[in-house]
Amino acid sequence: MKKDNALKYTIGKNIKLFREKNNFTQEEVAKFIDITQEEMSYIENSKREIRITVLDRLSNLFNIPMKYFLMENTTDLSDSIMSFRSDKLDKDTLDTISLINKFASNYINLKKILDEQN
Amino acid sequence: MNRIRTHARNLRKQLYLSNHVPINFSSIRKILDFNLIFKPFARNSFSGIALKRNKYNFIIINSSKTLGHQNFTLGHELYHLYIQNNFTASVCNTGNFANNTDKEEKYADYFSINFLFPDEGIEKYIKNKSVLKNIDTIDLPEIIRLENIFGVSHHAALIKLKEMKLISTNRFNILKEKIINKCNELGYETSLYTPTNKNIIFSNYISLIEKAFIDEKISTGKYNELYYELGLKPPDKQKCDEDFELTNL
């Protein structure tokens, strides 16, 4: 039980850290994953668990590997985050940021594995 | 803004395009080698998103905006990706020009209009050259003809003509009204002024997936995942190298 709480704490803390590094508000990210802002706050404050499928969606949005959510010391990692400059972030926009991040990382990984071969 | 105009000219030069020819984004994409997705989002949402990662460039265009606006946004994103220093990523609401508080967004708008609709091209295609010397003498049919030659939105075209001092602010305000009816009347297609709602990817992404799979670098599961993650349906081995229609994105 103690271990579960520690994990919930780490994940919640990291979600908050990466969200803030990306300049997204709690409300914007909550809309993106179809929950209320209150629920989002519970997750960040380790009062509620988060499903793995939702973490996967957040990793695309924040453009980080999913394992980063589980790491205890992520402050250095978060320094390399490149946030999207925008003055308006509706749900469509966040969906598209997530899509373009996924597109780019898949593309680069494919290039990498095909280049390794040559 | 002279510096921005010079950037626009230089990019045309780099692409071996004179300042008289309309931009063909399909050719440009192949030369500059960027990855492009058109997808319809809410009409009032963003215009486009650009991302530079490693040495690769990615653009997503909101195809529920008018074709003229989409062309303008593509030009705008080219500024971010190929001109702006230290660019990484941006969500753009384009066409605000001087009203934009973000300096780079403003530059990208002016870059786009000068890239798509250069002074020399306008001067060349104007039928009655006297309008170049007398402000507010260019008429609406001639403006519509020019924007249809160069594929620019009516709003952007007016901004450029105002910048060239061919129209005044008063005339700009009169001319900026919707012009689809006028366009019909003049016998032009209205496609420039309507959304395309295209859902398509222009990239060699598909070829890369197929090659990685054939070379046994990825599993069948990963192969399918790479398609589905972008909203693409894995083909029944019916391959398409460049253009691929998106489904269920």
Side-chain angles (χ1 to χ4, degrees):
Chain A
M1 191 56 121
K2 207 170 175 186
K3 209 173 159 187
D4 281 356
N5 282 342
L7 190 61
K8 245 194 296 183
Y9 172 78
T10 306
I11 292 173
K13 185 184 67 127
N14 284 332
I15 290 174
K16 185 171 186 224
L17 178 75
F18 291 119
R19 175 180 63 73
E20 287 176 345
K21 279 284 172 184
N22 276 281
N23 296 323
F24 299 144
T25 65
Q26 232 178 28
E27 191 186 357
E28 286 162 352
V29 176
K31 266 188 199 155
F32 172 73
I33 54 176
D34 303 313
I35 61 171
T36 63
Q37 188 184 346
E38 195 183 15
E39 285 169 314
M40 187 70 206
S41 169
Y42 283 154
I43 289 169
E44 289 190 350
N45 291 302
S46 58
K47 287 178 186 154
R48 184 163 296 184
E49 284 177 357
I50 185 163
R51 288 196 312 277
I52 191 92
T53 49
V54 177
L55 265 192
D56 184 40
R57 291 182 67 196
L58 288 179
S59 76
N60 289 333
L61 180 64
F62 300 156
N63 188 35
I64 52 163
M66 224 165 38
K67 65 180 181 192
Y68 280 19
F69 289 117
L70 309 175
M71 291 163 73
E72 289 196 7
N73 194 354
T74 44
T75 313
D76 290 347
L77 296 172
S78 70
D79 286 344
S80 62
I81 296 281
M82 299 179 300
S83 70
F84 278 82
R85 295 144 52 97
S86 176
D87 54 351
K88 190 171 119 189
L89 289 168
D90 53 27
K91 189 173 183 304
D92 265 2
T93 308
L94 291 187
D95 283 342
T96 316
I97 289 174
S98 173
L99 175 70
I100 203 169
N101 277 334
K102 194 76 215 165
F103 184 20
S105 63
N106 285 355
Y107 187 88
I108 290 164
N109 287 337
L110 281 165
K111 280 276 186 191
K112 220 181 269 174
I113 58 171
L114 289 168
D115 282 350
E116 275 168 10
Q117 182 185 354
N118 297 328
Chain B
M1 287 301 159
N2 279 342
R3 186 178 64 85
I4 299 299
R5 193 177 299 139
T6 306
H7 281 310
R9 281 164 199 249
N10 288 345
L11 185 60
R12 273 186 168 255
K13 214 182 275 177
Q14 196 187 318
L15 295 163
Y16 301 104
L17 294 172
S18 81
N19 286 319
H20 305 130
V21 297
I23 293 294
N24 177 336
F25 278 109
S26 177
S27 310
I28 286 181
R29 195 199 70 75
K30 287 168 188 133
I31 301 167
L32 293 176
D33 197 23
F34 55 87
N35 298 282
L36 176 62
I37 287 179
F38 289 94
K39 184 172 156 43
F41 296 96
R43 189 86 194 267
N44 60 356
S45 191
F46 68 95
S47 309
I49 293 187
L51 171 69
K52 184 185 274 296
R53 190 164 301 152
N54 298 2
K55 55 183 176 179
Y56 304 109
N57 292 321
F58 304 87
I59 298 175
I60 295 184
I61 298 289
N62 183 352
S63 63
S64 65
K65 305 271 185 181
T66 67
L67 176 61
H69 188 86
Q70 290 178 50
N71 289 340
F72 179 78
T73 302
L74 263 167
H76 175 110
E77 304 305 356
L78 292 186
Y79 171 84
H80 288 311
L81 294 170
Y82 296 96
I83 310 294
Q84 186 182 335
N85 291 325
N86 305 318
F87 175 76
T88 54
S90 186
V91 176
C92 309
N93 295 298
T94 63
N96 293 315
F97 290 90
N99 294 331
N100 210 315
T101 48
D102 184 305
K103 182 180 74 178
E104 294 295 351
E105 287 300 306
K106 189 169 20 183
Y107 290 164
D109 276 350
Y110 281 104
F111 172 87
S112 182
I113 196 56
N114 281 293
F115 181 66
L116 293 172
F117 201 39
D119 300 46
E120 292 87 341
I122 297 167
E123 285 163 10
K124 181 180 163 64
Y125 285 106
I126 279 181
K127 279 183 184 163
N128 177 0
K129 306 292 181 206
S130 70
V131 303
L132 294 166
K133 291 177 192 148
N134 301 296
I135 193 163
D136 288 342
T137 53
I138 186 167
D139 60 17
L140 184 58
E142 184 69 335
I143 295 171
I144 292 174
R145 193 174 73 85
L146 288 171
E147 58 202 36
N148 274 274
I149 292 172
F150 287 93
V152 290
S153 66
H154 186 56
H155 177 72
L158 292 181
I159 296 264
K160 179 66 193 172
L161 296 176
K162 192 162 152 271
E163 187 194 275
M164 289 175 73
K165 298 195 169 33
L166 298 187
I167 57 171
S168 63
T169 305
N170 281 343
R171 183 108 172 101
F172 174 93
N173 290 330
I174 295 165
L175 292 169
K176 74 180 180 187
E177 300 305 319
K178 285 205 182 302
I179 47 139
I180 286 197
N181 290 342
K182 188 71 188 169
C183 195
N184 271 326
E185 192 187 307
L186 292 167
Y188 291 110
E189 284 180 35
T190 52
S191 55
L192 199 55
Y193 313 102
T194 50
T196 60
N197 292 312
K198 271 193 292 192
N199 205 7
I200 193 163
I201 179 169
F202 294 94
S203 168
N204 61 343
Y205 180 71
I206 306 299
S207 309
L208 295 177
I209 300 176
E210 293 296 327
K211 182 158 176 36
F213 186 62
I214 289 165
D215 293 353
E216 298 182 343
K217 294 284 168 190
I218 52 171
S219 65
T220 308
K222 187 70 188 171
Y223 171 85
N224 288 327
E225 189 184 299
L226 287 166
Y227 273 97
Y228 287 126
E229 279 180 341
L230 283 207
L232 301 163
K233 203 171 153 213
D236 304 325
K237 287 294 149 214
Q238 199 182 347
K239 222 169 58 173
C240 177
D241 283 339
E242 287 286 320
D243 314 341
F244 208 86
E245 200 161 338
L246 300 175
T247 49
N248 306 321
L249 253 183

